[in-house]
């Protein structure tokens, strides 16, 4: 299955994607993680994106498209993948369509729904545990603003294509995972 996981910052995308990927035997491809690794390694790409990510802004569609295209060309993604954090803008949807071409398509888009107050609490909690530079109150507000303005419209595109699957992202990590499994089993039964 070719899957996308979608939702606001702090909705649990990375958390759930790691489990889904392991359970279904498909690679979990997180664009946020790819960017953080580039920053940590001090590569030329890392130098270019560091300030953008730390301010909670979006890296350009062209750079993200190249990164995802290279990753999806690797052999482990041929039989299915779970993309986490991409596409994050309407132009990135078009880029993904082009990368997948006529032979591959997105089978289901999992959209995790969590109220804003809970998102902020989760990210502030993570800030105290992991110290990610983009997890501070000011940047979190900015990431939520960017999400509403630029990323939320992506859901409408996949809704129109009939592949969007909303999942309640509140409750424990196990509870959310159980809901996702049920949604994916249903999607598979419907021939996705
Ligand atoms: P991401 O890494 O995608 O950051 P995120 O939206 O915060 O999601 P993440 O997966 O890390 O967190 P999760 O919700 O799982 O992106 C980081 C940055 O990279 C972006 O701001 C942007 O600058 C850049 N970027 C990435 N992709 C891009 C693209 N395509 N185009 C342009 N720029 C791009 O979890 C959050 C916390 O909640 C965790 O601490 C987790 O433990 C906790 N949690 C999860 N589920 C929970 C639950 N059920 N109950 C309680 N806590 C829970």
């Amino acid at each position: 299955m070719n899957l996308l996981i979608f939702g606001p910052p702090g909705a649990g995308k990375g958390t759930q994607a790691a489990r889904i990927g392991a359970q279904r035997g498909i690679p979990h491809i997180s664009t946020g993680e790819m960017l953080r690794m580039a920053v940590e390694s001090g590569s030329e790409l890392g130098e270019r994106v560091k300030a953008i990510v730390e301010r909670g802004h979006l890296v350009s569609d062209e750079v993200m498209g190249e990164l995802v295209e290279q990753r999806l060309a690797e052999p482990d993604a041929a039989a299915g993948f779970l993309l986490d954090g991409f596409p994050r803008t309407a132009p990135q949807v078009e880029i993904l369509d082009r990368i997948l071409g006529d032979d591959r398509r997105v089978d289901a888009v999992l959209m995790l729904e969590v109220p804003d107050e809970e998102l902020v609490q989760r990210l502030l909690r993570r800030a105290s545990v992991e110290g990610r530079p983009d997890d501070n109150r000011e940047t979190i507000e900015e990431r939520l603003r960017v999400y509403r303005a630029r990323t939320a419209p992506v859901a409408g595109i996949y809704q129109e294509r009939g592949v969007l699957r909303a999942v309640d992202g509140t409750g424990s990590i196990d509870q959310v995972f159980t809901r996702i499994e049920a949604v994916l089993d249903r999607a598979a039964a419907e021939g996705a």
Side-chain angles (χ1 to χ4, degrees):
M1 266 182 140
N2 299 328
L3 304 173
L4 308 185
I5 191 160
F6 182 83
K13 300 183 295 288
T15 308
Q16 297 298 335
R19 287 190 171 201
I20 301 163
Q23 169 80 17
R24 309 240 154 202
I26 52 177
H28 164 210
I29 301 173
S30 159
T31 48
E33 199 56 45
M34 287 162 89
L35 294 172
R36 281 188 289 281
M37 278 168 61
V39 171
E40 269 169 40
S41 73
S43 67
E44 194 250 329
L45 170 69
E47 292 295 316
R48 265 196 289 155
V49 301
K50 186 171 190 289
I52 301 171
V53 173
E54 289 183 359
R55 278 203 303 272
H57 291 164
L58 295 181
V59 173
S60 77
D61 294 333
E62 292 71 27
V63 168
M64 297 311 301
E66 268 176 46
L67 267 183
V68 170
E69 184 158 19
Q70 283 169 15
R71 183 61 187 87
L72 288 181
E74 287 177 30
D76 67 338
F81 56 80
L82 171 55
L83 260 180
D84 161 14
F86 187 96
R88 234 178 177 95
T89 63
Q92 290 184 13
V93 175
E94 287 177 27
I95 293 173
L96 182 61
D97 287 343
R98 184 187 52 74
I99 294 172
L100 296 181
D102 295 333
D103 304 337
R104 294 194 281 182
R105 68 184 177 103
V106 171
D107 297 304
V109 179
L110 297 163
M111 181 172 69
L112 294 178
E113 297 180 315
V114 176
D116 278 7
E117 317 81 71
E118 165 111 21
L119 297 173
V120 175
Q121 289 315 313
R122 286 183 187 181
L123 293 172
L124 289 175
R125 217 176 302 135
R126 181 168 72 184
S128 63
V129 180
E130 295 179 18
R132 238 173 77 169
D134 58 344
D135 283 344
N136 56 72
R137 189 172 282 278
E138 199 182 313
T139 310
I140 291 167
E141 296 291 344
E142 181 61 9
R143 283 156 63 199
L144 284 171
R145 194 191 63 72
V146 170
Y147 174 79
R148 283 189 213 100
R150 305 213 26 219
T151 306
V154 169
I157 299 175
Y158 287 110
Q159 174 85 52
E160 276 179 21
R161 294 184 188 182
V163 290
L164 192 73
R165 311 264 172 173
V167 178
D168 175 2
T170 62
S172 72
I173 290 170
D174 284 345
Q175 283 171 327
V176 178
F177 184 62
T178 302
R179 288 182 203 126
I180 290 175
E181 283 290 282
V183 163
L184 288 179
D185 288 345
R186 220 175 306 134
E190 288 168 15

